[in-house]
Amino acid sequence: MRGAAHAGGAGDRPSRVPRRDAAGDPARRERPPVQCPCGWWLLWVWSLPLSLGELCVPAARGRLQCLQVSVFANRSWARTDGLARLGDLQAYGWSNDSDAIRFLKPWARGSVSQRQWDELQNTLSVYRNSFTRDMQELVKMLRLDYPFEIQVSAGCELRAGNISESFFHAAFQGGEIMSFQGAYWAPAPDAPDWAGRAAQALNQDQGTRKTLQSLLNDTCPQFARGLLEAGKSELEKQVKPEVWLSTGPSPGPGRLLLVCHVSGFHPKPVWVMWMRGEQEQWATQQGDVLPHADETWYLRVTLDVEAREAAGLSCRVRHSSLGGQDIIIHWEGSHSSWLIPVALLGSLLMIGCVGCLALWYRKRRSYQDIL
């Protein structure tokens, strides 16, 4: 990151993956002091989306977030991919295979000129090469092992009353190593020793810290509010959920796994609970909220109960699209137990009647042939 004078950075807590025990972490060995250039990549990540024209887009009174994932398999193979999203909507993509930013929404370009976007494509190319090179130097300096992964999440959150709050988090191997808080870099509580030395070195660069403060507190909210209007119709889209009930695999003898399916809703926030009358069933288990291709969502919520206690249960769904009117679906499994054999008997009777009619028709035709 030799040209890091253009830099800045921000992010939100990345998802975690298992990290090695401290005893097996080569970063715990004796190592030379960290030099300042190794941290410049954190600042570059922020400058790319904001200095050249609104790469990141915010949700209404929500979160503007840029994400970067860089994988280093060995000293000669690495890749970096990124995206930018507003709330739950992904607006931009950036693949390792190309420096071109992909517009994933028709309004994502905003008011940025073609010249600004051309400059951004060139900056991304320089950034990726510099980031890869400097991370490889960092590995040598700290005696780290391949393979490893770096994650960065950067952005700001817009709130009511023209208030915004920025965030920056960087992670190594899925565990947070440092964040930018106020005007200083701070190592994460569980970060390896070298993260503290890196933060201390970064804090000595007062000019970069001031630049980063400006990007986080001024530039990010400015672009966030500017593009809020461009995507307003999609951001404020409301789609009502569809709800139905079923049973899952039996948890054991005499027990039922009741399943409440909630599908096709937007926006993402939703409240779903198994109820008995007005009493919430705290044994309710909620799965992950999963995306559909049309950018609506699906959720599966279960309850393990004794079969004899299933009667009287219901699934309640609360969502912004419902105008304050919850959807309540009552469990009627006791009725379904006799519906299946009745339906089967009806099918058999139908088949029998059709067979009888066919036999009568054949006999009638045979009599007509004789006559």
Side-chain angles (χ1 to χ4, degrees), residues 11 17 35 40 42 76 78 126 129 191 225 232 282 290 297 335 344 368:
V17 297
Q35 300 176 12
W40 277 107
L42 299 174
S76 60
V126 173
N129 293 333
R225 295 185 183 98
K232 184 176 181 180
W282 296 111
L290 303 175
W297 301 90
H335 300 295
L344 180 60
Q368 289 177 343

Side-chain angles (χ1 to χ4, degrees), residues 214-289:
S214 176
L215 290 168
L216 292 174
N217 299 329
D218 301 325
T219 310
C220 177
Q222 175 186 347
F223 283 114
R225 295 185 183 98
L227 282 179
L228 182 58
E229 284 300 318
K232 184 176 181 180
S233 60
E234 187 165 4
L235 292 171
E236 297 180 356
K237 178 178 69 174
Q238 296 282 332
V239 182
K240 294 182 180 180
E242 296 180 9
V243 184
W244 69 94
L245 307 181
S246 71
T247 57
S250 175
R255 301 194 67 84
L256 287 175
L257 184 67
L258 308 183
V259 184
C260 182
H261 305 265
V262 186
S263 183
F265 57 92
H266 187 279
K268 185 177 180 180
V270 65
W271 182 89
V272 182
M273 181 66 69
W274 279 97
M275 310 283 293
R276 186 179 299 278
E278 295 299 318
Q279 183 67 41
E280 298 179 5
Q281 302 300 291
W282 296 111
T284 297
Q285 297 292 317
Q286 179 171 310
D288 294 328
V289 182

Side-chain angles (χ1 to χ4, degrees), residues 118-131:
D118 291 341
E119 290 175 357
L120 180 56
Q121 311 304 321
N122 181 66
T123 304
L124 286 173
S125 178
V126 173
Y127 161 71
R128 179 158 54 206
N129 293 333
S130 300
F131 173 80

Side-chain angles (χ1 to χ4, degrees), residues 4 74 93 111 123 128 140 219 225 298 313 318 333 341 349 366:
N74 51 54
S111 59
T123 304
R128 179 158 54 206
K140 286 193 246 180
T219 310
R225 295 185 183 98
Y298 169 83
L313 290 170
R318 195 169 294 157
L349 289 174
S366 62

Side-chain angles (χ1 to χ4, degrees), residues 259-371:
V259 184
C260 182
H261 305 265
V262 186
S263 183
F265 57 92
H266 187 279
K268 185 177 180 180
V270 65
W271 182 89
V272 182
M273 181 66 69
W274 279 97
M275 310 283 293
R276 186 179 299 278
E278 295 299 318
Q279 183 67 41
E280 298 179 5
Q281 302 300 291
W282 296 111
T284 297
Q285 297 292 317
Q286 179 171 310
D288 294 328
V289 182
L290 303 175
H292 287 308
D294 62 357
E295 295 187 335
T296 61
W297 301 90
Y298 169 83
L299 176 62
R300 182 177 183 268
V301 176
T302 62
L303 182 65
D304 178 357
V305 297
E306 292 188 19
R308 64 176 181 271
E309 296 181 353
L313 290 170
S314 62
C315 179
R316 172 170 288 187
V317 178
R318 195 169 294 157
H319 188 258
S320 59
S321 65
L322 300 175
Q325 299 296 318
D326 296 352
I327 294 178
I328 301 175
I329 305 293
H330 294 276
W331 174 253
E332 297 179 352
S334 58
H335 300 295
S336 63
S337 60
W338 56 264
L339 284 176
I340 293 176
V342 167
L344 180 60
L345 179 60
S347 298
L348 292 175
L349 289 174
M350 181 67 72
I351 293 172
C353 290
V354 171
C356 290
L357 288 173
L359 180 61
W360 173 81
Y361 181 75
R362 281 199 297 271
K363 287 183 176 180
R364 184 171 182 274
R365 288 294 303 271
S366 62
Y367 293 151
Q368 289 177 343
D369 293 340
I370 293 173
L371 296 175

Side-chain angles (χ1 to χ4, degrees), residues 1-44:
M1 321 277 160
R2 306 297 186 255
H6 304 286
D12 121 292
R13 189 178 302 274
S15 60
R16 295 187 177 272
V17 297
R19 59 193 307 175
R20 292 178 294 176
D21 295 332
D25 182 0
R28 298 287 185 185
R29 309 185 199 119
E30 186 65 28
R31 25 177 112 67
V34 177
Q35 300 176 12
C36 208
C38 75
W40 277 107
W41 62 273
L42 299 174
L43 302 180
W44 266 74

